[in-house]
Amino acid sequence: MLELLSGFPSMLRLDCAVTSRFAHTVMTSTALNKANVSQEIFFEVEMPKTAFITNFSMEIENRFYVGEIKEKEKAKKQYEKAVSSGQTAGLVKASGRKMEKFSVSVNIAAESNVTFILTYEELLQRKLGLYEILTRVKPKSLVQEFKIVTNIYEPQGLSSVDAHATFLSNDLLPLVEKTVSDKKAHISFSPTIDQQRKCPGCDGTLIDGDFIIKYDVNREKNLGDIQIVNGYFVHFFAPPVLPRVPKNVVFVIDRSGSMGGMKMQQTREAMLAILKDLDEEDHFALVPFDSVTEVWKESLTKATKQNVSDAMNYIRTIDARGSTGMTSGVTKGIDMLKKGRQENRLPERSTDMIILLTDGMPDGGSSYVQSNVGSAMGEKMSLYCLGFGNDVDYNFLDVMSKENRGMARRIYEASDATLQLQGFYEEVASPLLLDVDLRYPDNAVDFLTTNNFAQLFNGSEIVVAGRLTDNNLDNFLVEVLGQGASALDWTAMYPDDEYIFGDFTERLWAYLTIQQLLEKSKTGDSNMKANATAKALEMSLEYSFVTPLTSMVVTKPETEDGNADPVIADKLTEGNLLYFSTIFFLPSKTFNSGVLLSSTVDGDPHFIIELPDRHDALCFNINDKPGTIFNLVSDPESGIVVHGQIIGDKKISPDGTMNTYFGSFGIIHQTLGVRLEVNTQEISVFQDNKQVKLMDLLVTKDRSLTVTLKDSVKFVIVLHKVWAKHPYHRDYLGFYTVDSHLLSPSVHGLLGQFYHGIEYEVTGLRPGEHPDKPDATMYVKGRELNVTRGWQRDFSRDVKNGERVPCWFIHSNGTGLIDGDASDYIVSSLFTTD
């Protein structure tokens, strides 16, 4: 959800890119404070509970505040030292059944605006035969520019794509544009401001609810699909045609006093519908419990029409009473299943499961119940726990079900609780395979995610990912073991590069691994829990995921009282339904006149954009023939212009290369009518063709020149001296900017366009051509670029030796990072102002 509680939203946009079920979503919102005084602007986003935040940033008055992923405990300790200063933060809290809410506020000056950008990623889960992309939108007012865009790419091919929204009227329905080809789908929704109105001329908006996309993929008549990208693979396992496995299910139903009223009525209604759906090959039992455990029949019964009818009549008589006796109810169900197996009254090829429905706390304590249930169940039964309402000990149910080959689900107290119960049952009602074990060649893969599963249900999907140790595999042999499966030989698929965002297989692998480590951290002995937690934390930090172990910290602008507030994004767990995130804080640099962006050009020519707020830098080269002149800075408001001219080596080197550098700079102050030319030989300052001293020129003994324009920016020009008898190289200049914030927001040029910052995101770190220079994917200005981590030298502080600056190198003359093409910045002379 995108929601603005105050401020006038001028833009609200959601961009979602899905590649092979892995969704990368960017939510962007711009709000304008139209008041004549500063006010607080609120930004709220609802995102799926299964998603991990990967980035949050704010742009305020052309300054960027970018989040950093930090270990939660370290952040908390730092915050506790500063809590007395009245700092505030973003909050994450549960928001309904599938979503959690992130909210943040920031104080914005009169007639100013703020842009919020939130990025999250998730692996879409297949349920009942479909993947779902859910977007909740509640702008609460009309939006000048509103747009939802989703692009889906599935190498297997798309079998169905559907898009709808809970708020779509007959007038809005045609605005949902959907284009579907074999492997791709494009869905967009972009109503105009008038189309958003509830009525002509009124300010109320129709946009309020869920925008939902559901789709599925083609499935061949084999048992899997493997996709390989950049050394990682993902295996999607969902056989299209398999006979269902009969199930033996015991329904253990809490009928204690707290289940009275609507809860028990809805439970009865759900059970009546579930019993109708039992297959005649299934066996079932009913075990209601309070302080006393009863059974409908002493043994499991085949689901014939007559038996189902009799069971439905019994269900109608169940009523709430007494206190809870959960342990007795569950162990009774276990005993009935064991007895049925021992007496050979249950099919050999069938699955045993217990479905527990309760709203209460464990009797005797959670450890007591877990121990008794775990020792009684053995290794073949599955326990599914349904926790009714907010008072249930959901964490206990979650751990107990996972320890016993099952899962837990919260049932919300609402008018549709009956449908919630039925929906969960439908997910587990049709097992297709049991004890599924997917095996891969030991000499070909490592770092596998979980590859053995208790069962595969109809309409679901098993996903396994890992790293390849042999990137040249033409065929990928996978052995599947389990009741109803046999070994098969798969041919790997290589998705088209055009539709891949970053190393999605590696990030998908990391996402799965972290999710599974978090589950392992809840079960097992203390050493296993500690190891799983430590590894999950390490990977959360490495891949920049906000998980229950990490926090994202963004330092907000200073307020009038001088405080710089931290914004925190924390990850919730289902067990903390009513939890507001603890406010964690780590100090980070704030934007003010003392923290400046530094943009430079030096060397061959190496452009360096230093970003102190991110402790990072971007760099690129511009290669052109000697004599070419480029515009570096152009500020129409102050009238300041800077051009630089390329020079080359004395001659081509034996290896056929010629280095190029900047050999001269022209600095123009149009308002004052002043021109300054600096080259490797001399410095000239002119006004109306006469030498003047309207600027401060400071030449130091280390061959650097500082040019200070009155009440404005400073430029530092460094002369690099080369041995005069060098056969190829010659003297050249470097250009550095200080106090670039004093130029106007409209400043441009090869350097100037970066003076007020740039928003970008780097993901998918991977090995590059050089072992010390890894590659990655950068998302910047709506583009996706391949970048390389490297170093450049900054000579602004040490003219002789320079200082190594780590940076992300953008290839091909900065294409994709700079606006337009490098040739767009070529000018005719050092002093042109056209």
Side-chain angles (χ1 to χ4, degrees):
M1 180 199 75
L2 293 172
E3 179 175 340
L4 288 168
L5 302 184
S6 63
F8 184 76
S10 58
M11 187 269 285
L12 202 92
R13 182 181 175 103
L14 181 139
D15 293 279
C16 179
V18 180
T19 295
S20 299
R21 290 72 146 176
F22 196 61
H24 175 93
T25 303
V26 180
M27 293 181 168
T28 307
S29 179
T30 298
L32 172 65
N33 176 14
K34 301 181 73 174
N36 56 10
V37 295
S38 63
Q39 68 171 352
E40 203 78 1
I41 301 293
F42 290 83
F43 171 70
E44 290 191 349
V45 169
E46 285 191 48
M47 64 201 125
K49 291 180 179 178
T50 53
F52 288 155
I53 294 174
T54 61
N55 187 49
F56 174 70
S57 61
M58 299 182 293
E59 179 187 359
I60 303 171
E61 297 179 354
N62 296 307
R63 293 178 177 176
F64 290 88
Y65 306 83
V66 183
E68 292 181 89
I69 305 290
K70 300 290 183 181
E71 181 181 352
K72 182 172 289 188
E73 288 306 312
K74 289 183 179 179
K76 181 178 181 180
K77 290 177 182 177
Q78 291 286 338
Y79 171 75
E80 287 172 347
K81 295 180 181 179
V83 69
S84 60
S85 64
Q87 291 155 331
T88 58
L91 294 175
V92 178
K93 61 181 180 180
S95 180
R97 302 163 190 179
K98 299 180 180 180
M99 312 294 278
E100 63 189 20
K101 181 182 292 184
F102 169 67
S103 62
V104 63
S105 65
V106 62
N107 194 276
I108 298 299
E111 299 183 356
S112 296
N113 59 44
V114 56
T115 297
F116 301 98
I117 303 171
L118 180 77
T119 304
Y120 63 81
E121 293 178 336
E122 64 171 324
L123 177 63
L124 302 179
Q125 299 177 9
R126 189 170 185 252
K127 293 182 179 180
L128 303 178
L130 293 171
Y131 306 98
E132 180 181 271
I133 305 167
L134 173 61
T135 305
R136 189 156 293 167
V137 284
K138 292 179 176 290
K140 294 196 173 182
S141 61
L142 302 174
V143 182
Q144 289 178 339
E145 180 185 343
F146 180 94
K147 195 161 192 176
I148 297 175
V149 178
T150 299
N151 289 292
I152 302 171
Y153 170 63
E154 291 289 351
Q156 289 173 258
L158 293 163
S159 62
S160 65
V161 179
D162 178 64
H164 67 281
T166 57
F167 53 80
L168 285 183
S169 63
N170 291 334
D171 292 332
L172 290 178
L173 187 60
L175 301 180
V176 179
E177 298 181 359
K178 183 176 72 172
T179 304
V180 182
S181 61
D182 179 28
K183 300 179 180 179
K184 295 179 291 181
H186 174 84
I187 301 100
S188 65
F189 175 63
S190 182
T192 65
I193 196 166
D194 286 333
Q195 290 169 330
Q196 298 169 40
R197 298 182 192 276
K198 282 187 175 180
C199 57
C202 63
D203 293 332
T205 178
L206 293 168
I207 311 301
D208 184 4
D210 295 339
F211 190 87
I212 303 166
I213 298 171
K214 293 185 178 183
Y215 75 92
D216 200 15
V217 301
N218 296 325
R219 302 183 190 279
E220 301 295 333
K221 293 182 179 180
N222 56 28
L223 296 184
D225 164 59
I226 293 175
Q227 298 174 24
I228 296 174
V229 176
N230 295 332
Y232 286 80
F233 79 90
V234 58
H235 179 190
F236 299 103
F237 180 75
V241 181
L242 281 178
R244 66 180 299 278
V245 176
K247 61 181 179 292
N248 313 306
V249 54
V250 179
F251 297 97
V252 180
I253 304 168
D254 187 346
R255 65 174 183 187
S256 61
S258 60
M259 284 287 291
M262 183 61 70
K263 288 183 187 177
M264 184 53 67
Q265 179 183 331
Q266 292 173 324
T267 299
R268 286 193 295 264
E269 291 173 355
M271 284 302 306
L272 293 174
I274 288 170
L275 289 172
K276 286 182 181 179
D277 287 340
L278 288 172
D279 190 273
E280 286 201 13
E281 296 302 314
D282 294 336
H283 289 70
F284 73 102
L286 304 174
V287 181
F289 72 88
D290 48 83
S291 55
V292 176
T293 297
E294 295 183 359
V295 293
W296 169 53
K297 291 187 176 182
E298 286 297 329
S299 60
L300 276 82
T301 303
K302 194 171 184 180
T304 63
K305 289 183 179 181
Q306 185 58 52
N307 287 337
V308 168
S309 178
D310 293 345
M312 292 173 68
N313 289 331
Y314 176 77
I315 286 292
R316 294 185 179 100
T317 67
I318 296 178
D319 207 351
R321 65 188 187 192
S323 57
T324 186
M326 185 187 301
T327 306
S328 175
V330 176
T331 53
K332 179 62 178 178
I334 295 170
D335 292 340
M336 294 176 72
L337 285 168
K338 285 183 174 179
K339 185 178 180 181
R341 288 290 182 186
Q342 292 168 355
E343 297 176 354
N344 295 319
R345 289 189 291 101
L346 302 177
E348 181 178 355
R349 185 181 179 272
S350 61
T351 184
D352 300 339
M353 63 176 69
I354 292 175
I355 297 180
L356 167 66
L357 173 64
T358 181
D359 73 337
M361 306 292 285
D363 55 313
S366 59
S367 298
Y368 170 79
V369 177
Q370 284 177 238
S371 176
N372 279 272
V373 170
S375 59
M377 288 198 73
E379 298 181 355
K380 294 296 182 182
M381 298 181 195
S382 296
L383 173 64
Y384 300 94
C385 299
L386 300 176
F388 211 133
N390 295 336
D391 297 330
V392 69
D393 188 345
Y394 184 85
N395 285 333
F396 154 70
L397 295 179
D398 186 43
V399 171
M400 186 169 67
S401 62
K402 288 183 169 63
E403 287 180 339
N404 294 285
R405 297 159 51 96
M407 59 183 174
R409 184 72 55 81
R410 188 187 295 274
I411 303 300
Y412 294 85
E413 295 185 53
S415 59
D416 68 341
T418 298
L419 296 177
Q420 295 177 57
L421 290 166
Q422 288 178 247
F424 175 83
Y425 174 75
E426 289 174 6
E427 291 181 35
V428 301
S430 300
L432 301 179
L433 292 174
L434 308 177
D435 299 316
V436 185
D437 189 13
L438 291 85
R439 298 181 181 179
Y440 307 86
D442 292 337
N443 62 349
V445 301
D446 60 9
F447 297 108
L448 275 178
T449 58
T450 299
N451 63 327
N452 48 75
F453 303 85
Q455 59 275 115
L456 170 70
F457 295 105
N458 187 36
S460 66
E461 181 175 64
I462 288 174
V463 183
V464 179
R467 189 177 71 178
L468 297 176
T469 56
D470 181 357
N471 289 333
N472 295 319
L473 292 177
D474 293 323
N475 293 290
F476 202 69
L477 182 65
V478 179
E479 184 180 12
V480 176
L481 301 178
Q483 296 186 37
S486 59
L488 287 178
D489 186 3
W490 281 274
T491 299
M493 299 178 65
Y494 296 83
D496 297 338
D497 290 342
E498 179 183 354
Y499 306 108
I500 296 172
F501 58 88
D503 285 342
F504 85 92
T505 47
E506 182 178 357
R507 291 193 66 77
L508 189 156
W509 164 79
Y511 173 97
L512 269 182
T513 301
I514 293 169
Q515 291 274 27
Q516 292 167 3
L517 286 169
L518 291 172
E519 295 298 339
K520 290 178 182 178
S521 69
K522 302 176 185 177
T523 60
D525 60 37
S526 58
N527 285 335
M528 291 175 61
K529 291 179 180 179
N531 291 337
T533 299
K535 185 61 178 177
L537 172 60
E538 176 188 340
M539 292 188 65
S540 298
L541 294 171
E542 179 181 357
Y543 288 92
S544 296
F545 285 130
V546 177
T547 70
L549 305 176
T550 56
S551 299
M552 177 169 285
V553 183
V554 184
T555 300
K556 291 161 60 176
E558 288 191 356
T559 57
E560 293 180 0
D561 61 6
N563 289 328
D565 294 341
V567 175
I568 311 299
D570 282 334
K571 181 68 180 174
L572 295 181
T573 59
E574 181 63 42
N576 293 325
L577 182 66
L578 301 180
Y579 165 87
F580 281 75
S581 70
T582 305
I583 305 172
F584 299 146
F585 169 69
L586 272 180
S588 65
K589 293 184 179 180
T590 60
F591 279 94
N592 54 47
S593 59
V595 179
L596 308 173
L597 298 174
S598 173
S599 299
T600 71
V601 59
D602 210 331
D604 183 25
H606 303 307
F607 288 76
I608 307 174
I609 314 302
E610 294 191 51
L611 304 163
D613 65 302
R614 295 184 66 152
H615 308 289
D616 205 354
L618 310 179
C619 53
F620 58 93
N621 291 352
I622 296 292
N623 298 307
D624 212 302
K625 61 186 179 181
T628 304
I629 302 173
F630 288 101
N631 170 245
L632 304 181
V633 181
S634 180
D635 185 5
E637 294 189 25
S638 67
I640 295 173
V641 179
V642 181
H643 301 316
Q645 186 169 26
I646 297 290
I647 60 172
D649 281 342
K650 296 173 183 176
K651 59 181 179 180
I652 298 174
S653 66
D655 63 4
T657 62
M658 173 181 281
N659 294 318
T660 55
Y661 318 88
F662 277 107
S664 58
F665 295 106
I667 301 175
I668 310 157
H669 198 308
Q670 296 181 81
T671 305
L672 300 177
V674 176
R675 297 183 303 167
L676 168 69
E677 180 177 354
V678 182
N679 58 42
T680 58
Q681 302 297 320
E682 60 184 4
I683 302 169
S684 303
V685 183
F686 296 95
Q687 183 176 34
D688 300 327
N689 297 319
K690 296 180 182 180
Q691 191 168 359
V692 293
K693 291 186 178 179
L694 293 179
M695 303 179 187
D696 295 326
L697 299 180
L698 175 62
V699 182
T700 66
K701 64 180 181 180
D702 56 8
R703 300 188 301 273
S704 67
L705 166 69
T706 300
V707 181
T708 303
L709 305 180
K710 283 189 174 181
D711 302 320
S712 188
V713 68
K714 293 181 183 178
F715 298 125
V716 178
I717 299 174
V718 176
L719 172 63
H720 296 278
K721 295 291 288 184
V722 177
W723 178 44
K725 295 183 180 181
H726 195 288
Y728 308 112
H729 304 325
R730 65 174 71 205
D731 296 349
Y732 63 94
L733 300 176
F735 182 87
Y736 297 79
T737 312
V738 183
D739 292 341
S740 58
H741 67 291
L742 296 177
L743 293 174
S744 75
S746 57
V747 65
H748 207 260
L750 279 172
L751 284 177
Q753 63 189 288
F754 303 108
Y755 282 167
H756 293 288
I758 182 170
E759 178 67 21
Y760 67 94
E761 179 183 353
V762 177
T763 63
L765 196 67
R766 55 191 179 273
E769 294 184 6
H770 192 283
D772 294 331
K773 296 181 178 181
D775 287 349
T777 299
M778 175 180 289
Y779 297 95
V780 60
K781 296 183 177 179
R783 304 179 182 94
E784 181 180 322
L785 309 178
N786 182 71
V787 295
T788 302
R789 193 63 170 174
W791 297 267
Q792 299 290 3
R793 288 201 175 272
D794 180 341
F795 294 91
S796 60
R797 288 173 286 273
D798 184 348
V799 174
K800 183 178 179 180
N801 301 308
E803 176 184 353
R804 275 168 48 107
V805 176
C807 65
W808 291 108
F809 182 79
I810 291 83
H811 302 271
S812 304
N813 286 345
T815 300
L817 176 69
I818 64 174
D819 293 336
D821 186 78
S823 61
D824 298 337
Y825 299 85
I826 295 176
V827 294
S828 58
S829 73
L830 275 179
F831 295 116
T832 184
T833 56
D834 295 337

